[in-house]
Amino acid sequence: MGILIISPGRDLKRWTDALQAEDPSVPLLFPDQVQNPDKITFALAWDHPSGIFRNYPNLRCISSFGAGVDHLINDADIPPHIRFVRIIDPLLSNDMFEFTLAVVMKYLRKLSLYCRYQGKSTWKKHAYLRMADVCIGVMGTGVIGNHVATGLKKAGFRVCGWGRGPGRKTAYKRYHGRTQLRDFLSSSNILVNLLPLTSKTLGIINSNLLTSLPHGAYLVNLGRGAHVVEEDLIRAIDSGHVSGAHLDVFDPEPLPGHHPFWTHPGIDISPHVASLTDPGSVAPQVMENYYRNMQNKPLMNMVSRELEY
Ligand code: GLV
């Protein structure tokens, strides 16, 4: 009984406060506080030490701290009967939209360049792009991707999206499946990656994909670092075919200090901050899944272990 919390290196105070405020009667336990591992049936986890869940023989459900579940899917030690749930939260989706908008506007108005000029006291003007000059392609049209694409469209951009299957009707043109990927890419002057990381999407941003983008296209990676084949991206930027990239996610994280991305003039970096789960906003759904798991009821925001997201 209680929620086992595992997220090494994270300050968990806001999480424990939010969960306690939601239901003070539910014990919150860190691994070193668990006296009877047999009693643990529900865990909340991020970047857990591989193999740790073997210590809890009656575990039945693991909730991710965020939208992504690749850290759970990739742990072959977690038995198949354990159900995974993820966070779906309007605040998380909207923060992603706001970040995407900021990065796209920064690109159109060349703001990174002016930040660099400031460091050298350089006064130099450049022509800029307007919203009407570009079409933004959002790769991954799940809950977050769809919210981002719809928001960009409402903001006045031309937008298209790409997802796995035909899906629902959208406010923007949506392509699907491998057969329509090329058409989607050839329309995307700015490619925003919001795909989940799965065995099918690992390394999807490779030279094949990058050369299918229009000349001068810009990449915004907000999915996972392992979506990108790093040498292919650097080659595409150095050749001029891709004009640059904003990268928020890396493999591994933190990005090692000697990595060439840090100093590449065409690459802007942020430290995986595009959208951070807000503990107060998501504590109700974590607690609700804890109750449902106790009562063997269907869970909210279940992950398909077959689809890997
Ligand atoms: C963050 O990357 C998340 O998956 O929520």
Side-chain angles (χ1 to χ4, degrees), residues 185-212:
L185 293 170
S186 65
S187 313
S188 304
N189 308 103
I190 300 176
L191 180 69
V192 178
N193 176 42
L194 283 165
L195 286 168
L197 182 66
T198 69
S199 48
K200 293 209 169 71
T201 65
L202 180 79
I204 190 169
I205 303 175
N206 53 24
S207 45
N208 205 6
L209 177 144
L210 294 166
T211 50
S212 305

Side-chain angles (χ1 to χ4, degrees), residues 2 18 21 40 74 116 128 141 143 188 191 198 237 246-247 254 287 299:
I40 297 292
N74 291 337
R116 277 187 213 118
Y128 48 78
T141 51
V143 177
S188 304
L191 180 69
T198 69
I237 300 177
H246 185 108
L247 307 176
M287 207 46 93
L299 302 166

Side-chain angles (χ1 to χ4, degrees), residues 99-210:
F99 189 87
T100 308
L101 186 60
V103 168
V104 167
M105 292 313 300
K106 174 187 64 121
Y107 165 67
L108 295 184
R109 305 306 298 256
K110 298 194 161 52
L111 298 183
S112 306
L113 191 57
Y114 295 124
C115 284
R116 277 187 213 118
Y117 284 179
Q118 182 177 355
K120 295 185 267 172
S121 310
T122 299
W123 182 275
K124 190 173 170 193
K125 302 187 192 196
H126 291 270
Y128 48 78
L129 292 168
R130 298 192 173 87
M131 286 164 81
D133 294 328
V134 292
C135 175
I136 305 178
V138 177
M139 195 159 66
T141 51
V143 177
I144 296 180
N146 181 56
H147 183 80
V148 169
T150 308
L152 291 169
K153 171 95 186 174
K154 272 196 210 142
F157 282 99
R158 278 183 291 136
V159 178
C160 59
W162 180 78
R164 186 177 51 89
R168 60 196 170 287
K169 198 166 153 31
T170 51
Y172 49 91
K173 181 166 173 51
R174 190 174 168 284
Y175 298 85
H176 67 269
R178 287 276 163 178
T179 51
Q180 295 182 7
L181 182 56
R182 233 164 235 281
D183 286 344
F184 161 75
L185 293 170
S186 65
S187 313
S188 304
N189 308 103
I190 300 176
L191 180 69
V192 178
N193 176 42
L194 283 165
L195 286 168
L197 182 66
T198 69
S199 48
K200 293 209 169 71
T201 65
L202 180 79
I204 190 169
I205 303 175
N206 53 24
S207 45
N208 205 6
L209 177 144
L210 294 166

